Amino acid sequence: FLDRHGIIDADTARTLLAEARRTYIHPAPDAPDGSPPPDADSSTTRYTPSKKLQALVRAGELCCTFPGCNAPVWQIDLDHTEPFDHTDPRRGGPTDARNLKPLCRFHHRIKTFTSWQDHQDESRTAWFTTPTGHMFVGNAFSGRDLFNKLFPRRSPDHPARDRLNTQRDNDFRRHQRAEKRWNDANPPPF
Ligand SMILES: [Zn+2]
């Protein structure tokens, strides 16, 4: 995957790699119960993420996490989903991969200054609630899908997915009831 271009073929990747200056990302493995590695503690209370953490978060998303935005990830902001508390960092959102996501400056401002709300779950997926209450999970695919050895798998019982399923079921039932009411009120022959 080449930033600003998308997926490239293996021959092109090899040609580019031969000339590239390389940095390798080796994330510290999560504990089996999903808790962060023990050495992550001190860095989670610093506002600015380490270069290693920045690279991990960016590789995990590939572009701005706002639904439908494809601003290339290496030039944009990293946003604390739960805000960082500068006076008491232990009370605010931590600086870790579960609370950081890339947002382009435009969508960073929308999130900060309007009634859009952002959320992020323990498997790092970000999703957004619009001012009308609709929910959207970020992009159709992310670096977590491409580089699945780097990241824990997304759980099938993701809260946003549950809520979207419930909403879809409710909409479907409401539509069925409306249709039945109309059919009852308008029996054949027409
Ligand atoms: Zn964006």
Side-chain angles (χ1 to χ4, degrees), residues 63-72 76 102-108:
C63 54
C64 171
T65 48
F66 202 87
C69 183
N70 58 3
I76 59 179
L103 280 180
C104 68
R105 190 58 57 86
F106 179 70
H107 287 128
H108 200 164

Side-chain angles (χ1 to χ4, degrees), residues 70-89:
N70 58 3
V73 80
W74 296 93
Q75 281 91 41
I76 59 179
D77 300 335
L78 291 187
D79 170 57
H80 283 79
T81 300
E82 191 193 330
F84 187 84
D85 187 334
H86 288 274
T87 46
D88 185 357

Side-chain angles (χ1 to χ4, degrees), residues 45-145:
T45 51
R46 264 200 334 236
Y47 179 64
T48 307
S50 67
K51 283 208 169 111
K52 187 176 157 183
L53 179 57
Q54 289 192 32
L56 181 64
V57 170
R58 292 182 198 280
E61 293 298 340
L62 304 178
C63 54
C64 171
T65 48
F66 202 87
C69 183
N70 58 3
V73 80
W74 296 93
Q75 281 91 41
I76 59 179
D77 300 335
L78 291 187
D79 170 57
H80 283 79
T81 300
E82 191 193 330
F84 187 84
D85 187 334
H86 288 274
T87 46
D88 185 357
R90 290 186 182 281
R91 295 180 55 168
T95 300
D96 66 19
R98 289 176 183 75
N99 194 45
L100 287 172
K101 63 183 179 313
L103 280 180
C104 68
R105 190 58 57 86
F106 179 70
H107 287 128
H108 200 164
R109 292 208 167 119
I110 282 189
K111 167 242 153 111
T112 306
F113 297 114
T114 72
S115 52
W116 280 78
Q117 287 178 309
D118 56 336
H119 321 270
Q120 196 166 5
D121 73 3
E122 68 288 345
S123 58
R124 303 163 194 204
T125 303
W127 73 96
F128 296 82
T129 309
T130 72
T132 54
H134 296 84
M135 296 182 83
F136 294 96
V137 179
N139 290 304
F141 71 93
S142 73
R144 291 185 303 276
D145 302 305

Side-chain angles (χ1 to χ4, degrees), residues 8-20 22:
I8 55 174
D9 64 272
D11 283 343
T12 309
R14 275 190 283 270
T15 308
L16 290 172
L17 266 176
E19 301 169 6
R22 305 176 197 184

